[in-house]
Amino acid sequence: MSEEIALSSADRAQGLVRCDACPVLCRIRPGRVGACDRYANEDGKLVRVDPLVLLAKPGVETVAFVTGIGATTTYPDYKPAPFIVSSKHDGVDMVTVVTEGIFSYCGVKVKIDTDRYLGPEQAPVRVRGEQVGHVTTAEYGSQMLSLGGVHHLTGGSKKEGVVTCEALLALCNREAVELAIDGGATVVVQANKPPIVNGVIEERMRVGCGSAAIGMFAPQWRDHVDEVIVVDDHITGVLSEHQGGRFLDMKPAGIRVRGRRSTPGRYFQVAEPGLGWGGTDVADPLQIIEKIDPKQAWPGLRLLMVSTTGEHSAWFELDGDLKPQPTPMPAAVRSVVERIAENCEPALCTVLFMAGAGGSLRAGVTDNPVRLTRSVRDALTKVTLGGVPAYVWPGGGITLMVDVAHMPEKSFGSVPTPALVAPIEFTLRADDYATLGGYTSRVISLEEAKARAGYVRIDEDRR
Ligand code: SF4
C-alpha cells in the first residue's frame, strides 16, 4: 500500500480502516460507514454493507448467477475484479467476472409516455434548481429526456454534480424524482410508473398521431359522421381529406383547420404545444378551425372532434349558418371514441441507465483491456447489469444501456466523486477468458464465492 493510502500509526491505534474502493479513500472509524454508506468498519475490518446478490431460477435450489450487486469494487481497476466465478452451462465451462463499476460517464435516458407538452427540445431539466439534463427528441407518443452525463456530474459546480448524482441514483433505484423543465412542465418520473405532469397522473399513451388515428378508425366512422378531426400537436388528421376518407369515398366537408398542410388531411402546427387536446394548448377544439367553406359544407353536417387518446371528444352539427353547434354524441360514434381509448396503452416512464464500461474497468477483467472490448463486440462476452442483459452500442468502447425496471431493487449506489456505482457482470466461455488474458488463477467456484461474502438469493422473476 502506498504512503498516501496507508493509515498513520495513530489511525491504526484507534482502529480506523482505509477504504480504497474508490478515489475518495475514506478513513472509517470503528462502527461507522464510509462517505457512500456502502462500506463500514466492522471490528477493525472493512466490510461491504450490502450482501452479494445471487439470482436463482424460481423454485430451483441451485443458484444460477452471481450479480455485481454487493460484490465490491477493486480500485484502481488493474487489480482483478472481486469475484471471478466459474460455472457450467450446457456442459460448457463458463466464467463470470463480477464487480461494481464506478461510472463517472453515465446518465439515464427517460421515456415518458405522454402527448402533453413537457417543454421545448433542448430545454434544461432541473432538480432543486440545478440543471441535471435536457429535453431531447420526442418519440412516437413519448417525450424523451436525457439526464446526467459527465458534463453535469463533473463539468459544472459541485452542487450541480451532487444533485445530478442524487437524481440519477434515485431514478436508477426506481424512486420518484420531480423534474422541472424550463419553459415547460413539472413532471414526476419513476421507472415503470405513470408520469405525473403538473400534478396530474397521465393514464394513456396515445394510439398514434392524428393521421394514424384516422387511418385506423376511418371505416368504423364512415357511416356515422361527415367529418372527423383528430387533434394532435404533431399531425392533426382530417378524415374526408385524408387518404383514409378518400379511399372510403367520403365527400369533402369543407372544414379547413389552421396550421400548415403537409399532405391531404394531415396538418402540422394547428395550435401551440401545451397540456390540452392532443398535446396542444387547445381547450376548445373549435379554436383550430380556420374556416368552413359554404360551397362544400351543408347544414346538418355531423362533425366529430377527438384527441389522439380519446380523452377529449366533442360532437357538433352545423346549423343553418354553418356554425358548429354542440350536440349529444350518438352511441355509435361514442363507441369508436371509446375504442381509441381502449387502444391506448398505459402511460409509463421508462428509465434506461446508460454508461461507458469501456475504460479502466476492463482492466479488472483482463490485463489487455481492448481484448475485452473486442470480445464483447464479437458476442463472445455477454454483458449484464444485475443479471439483466445490456444493449451494447456498436462502435468503440463498451457503451451500454439497460432498463433499470428489470434489475433487482436497490442495484445502484453512488460515491461522492461524484459517480454512480452499478453492478456489472461479464460472462464468457472459460477458454475464451484465458485467450483474452483473463485472471484465470483468480477463478473461484460458486461455493467459494458464497463462503467469501454474506449473500442473499433472490428469484429471477422477483427482481
Ligand atoms: S466513498 Fe465509499 S467506496 Fe469510496 S472510499 Fe469511501 S467508503 Fe470506500
Side-chain angles (χ1 to χ4, degrees):
M1 191 175 278
S2 73
E3 276 300 300
E4 185 195 336
I5 296 174
L7 288 168
S8 68
S9 47
D11 280 352
R12 280 201 299 275
Q14 288 178 51
L16 270 66
V17 293
R18 169 81 78 189
C19 176
D20 63 355
C22 92
V24 178
L25 298 173
C26 295
R27 293 157 61 249
I28 308 175
R29 296 185 180 284
R32 307 294 289 270
V33 292
C36 63
D37 289 342
R38 297 165 53 248
Y39 290 86
N41 178 341
E42 201 176 275
D43 301 326
K45 267 180 58 190
L46 181 70
V47 296
R48 180 74 173 83
V49 170
D50 308 294
L52 182 67
V53 172
L54 311 180
L55 295 180
K57 296 253 181 270
V60 176
E61 199 43 49
T62 38
V63 164
F65 194 75
V66 180
T67 76
I69 304 163
T72 72
T73 307
T74 44
Y75 182 85
D77 298 291
Y78 53 73
K79 296 184 234 164
F83 290 93
I84 304 176
V85 185
S86 63
S87 61
K88 233 182 186 36
H89 286 286
D90 297 331
V92 178
D93 288 322
M94 305 292 291
V95 167
T96 301
V97 181
V98 174
T99 191
E100 288 180 301
I102 299 178
F103 295 98
S104 302
Y105 290 81
C106 74
V108 294
K109 305 294 176 219
V110 181
K111 172 172 165 284
I112 302 172
D113 301 336
T114 182
D115 266 356
R116 281 174 231 283
Y117 180 67
L118 299 185
E121 211 168 285
Q122 303 178 7
V125 177
R126 297 182 191 277
V127 171
R128 302 202 300 277
E130 296 295 324
Q131 185 175 356
V132 301
H134 63 272
V135 177
T136 185
T137 325
E139 297 300 342
Y140 199 64
S142 310
Q143 312 298 321
M144 305 291 292
L145 308 180
S146 182
L147 308 182
V150 71
H151 291 300
H152 294 299
L153 283 169
T154 71
S157 66
K158 183 172 179 191
K159 187 169 172 221
E160 180 178 328
V162 169
V163 171
T164 300
C165 190
E166 286 173 4
L168 293 179
L169 178 64
L171 286 168
C172 288
N173 280 335
R174 308 205 288 262
E175 292 164 20
V177 174
E178 184 173 288
L179 305 167
I181 297 166
D182 285 9
T186 296
V187 55
V188 177
V189 168
Q190 184 170 14
N192 222 21
K193 292 274 190 305
I196 304 172
V197 182
N198 284 353
V200 180
I201 297 179
E202 185 64 282
E203 284 172 10
R204 301 177 203 162
M205 179 182 185
R206 70 179 182 170
V207 69
C209 67
S211 170
I214 294 275
M216 274 181 261
F217 299 105
Q220 300 178 43
W221 277 317
R222 186 193 128 147
D223 294 335
H224 311 290
V225 303
D226 297 308
E227 187 61 287
V228 177
I229 298 172
V230 182
V231 183
D232 175 15
D233 175 43
H234 304 136
I235 309 171
T236 287
V238 180
L239 176 61
S240 69
E241 272 186 52
H242 190 278
Q243 188 70 11
R246 292 246 182 106
F247 195 73
L248 297 169
D249 290 329
M250 289 197 68
K251 189 166 128 188
I255 300 176
R256 174 73 160 87
V257 298
R258 293 185 195 283
R260 180 159 68 82
R261 192 167 95 146
S262 156
T263 54
R266 298 170 72 256
Y267 290 82
F268 299 162
Q269 299 150 16
V270 296
E272 293 297 316
L275 303 178
W277 284 54
T280 68
D281 63 348
V282 160
D284 170 7
L286 297 178
Q287 274 177 266
I288 70 160
I289 293 180
E290 190 169 81
K291 62 176 183 199
I292 297 179
D293 182 354
K295 293 200 198 82
Q296 289 183 314
W298 61 94
L301 185 152
R302 301 160 300 167
L303 166 66
L304 171 68
M305 299 195 76
V306 63
S307 68
T308 43
T309 54
E311 182 186 339
H312 297 98
S313 61
W315 179 251
F316 302 95
E317 287 184 14
L318 299 195
D319 64 15
D321 297 327
L322 301 182
K323 295 257 178 314
Q325 299 300 339
T327 314
M329 189 178 295
V333 177
R334 167 75 53 209
S335 74
V336 186
V337 170
E338 285 167 1
R339 185 156 290 176
I340 294 180
E342 184 189 332
N343 274 269
C344 294
E345 293 170 81
L348 291 176
C349 298
T350 310
V351 176
L352 294 193
F353 174 68
M354 182 165 175
S360 58
L361 187 147
R362 296 174 299 174
V365 181
T366 160
D367 58 13
N368 195 351
V370 74
R371 288 205 192 160
L372 176 65
T373 314
R374 290 188 195 131
S375 173
V376 170
R377 180 86 16 82
D378 294 342
L380 299 174
T381 295
K382 186 170 147 190
V383 186
T384 52
L385 278 80
V388 180
Y391 171 75
V392 179
W393 281 68
I398 303 173
T399 303
L400 52 84
M401 288 200 304
V402 68
D403 182 355
V404 303
H406 294 142
M407 294 173 68
E409 275 182 5
K410 299 271 176 209
S411 285
F412 290 82
S414 70
V415 290
T417 53
L420 241 56
V421 181
I424 186 162
E425 308 93 23
F426 298 95
T427 302
L428 66 169
R429 291 169 62 119
D431 50 2
D432 287 336
Y433 188 51
T435 307
L436 65 80
Y439 302 103
T440 48
S441 65
R442 305 294 285 259
V443 176
I444 57 172
S445 67
L446 178 65
E447 291 313 311
E448 286 173 86
K450 282 158 75 173
R452 199 194 281 179
Y455 67 89
V456 291
R457 198 195 106 127
I458 59 171
D459 286 348
E460 284 177 336
D461 64 352
R462 289 189 50 221
R463 283 192 294 231

